[in-house]
Amino acid sequence: MNRKKKLNQILKKRLKQANVKLQTSNKPRYISKADRAKMDLEAAQQTSEGVATEAQAVDTANADEIAKEPETK
């Protein structure tokens, strides 16, 4: 009886392990607090660089318009 019980335990354990491997989790991957802070900083830098380049583009466009105005008068 003990031998039979032990074999059943082993087989059940293997089945459980196989089922656990097949299950997928919908839970998002953990990101540490430090990594989240770093990602926020990088995002802030990129947006500030984007705003700065936009401002430069607007300034150059305004300068071009100002330069063209005297020519049209």
Side-chain angles (χ1 to χ4, degrees):
M1 191 67 171
N2 284 339
R3 195 178 323 163
K4 214 177 199 185
K5 183 179 177 185
K6 186 68 173 173
L7 285 174
N8 283 335
Q9 283 179 339
I10 291 170
L11 291 174
K12 284 181 184 177
K13 183 179 179 183
R14 286 186 185 170
L15 274 175
K16 281 184 180 180
Q17 287 176 345
N19 286 335
V20 165
K21 264 192 171 179
L22 293 176
Q23 289 178 347
T24 58
S25 177
N26 292 334
K27 194 170 135 181
R29 197 179 122 252
Y30 175 74
I31 300 174
S32 69
K33 191 174 183 180
D35 289 341
R36 280 183 273 152
K38 188 189 302 182
M39 289 169 48
D40 288 341
L41 274 175
E42 289 174 358
Q45 287 176 349
Q46 288 177 352
T47 56
S48 66
E49 288 174 1
V51 170
T53 56
E54 277 183 30
Q56 285 179 342
V58 169
D59 288 341
T60 56
N62 288 341
D64 291 340
E65 289 175 13
I66 292 170
K68 289 181 182 178
E69 282 181 18
E71 294 173 8
T72 57
K73 287 184 180 178

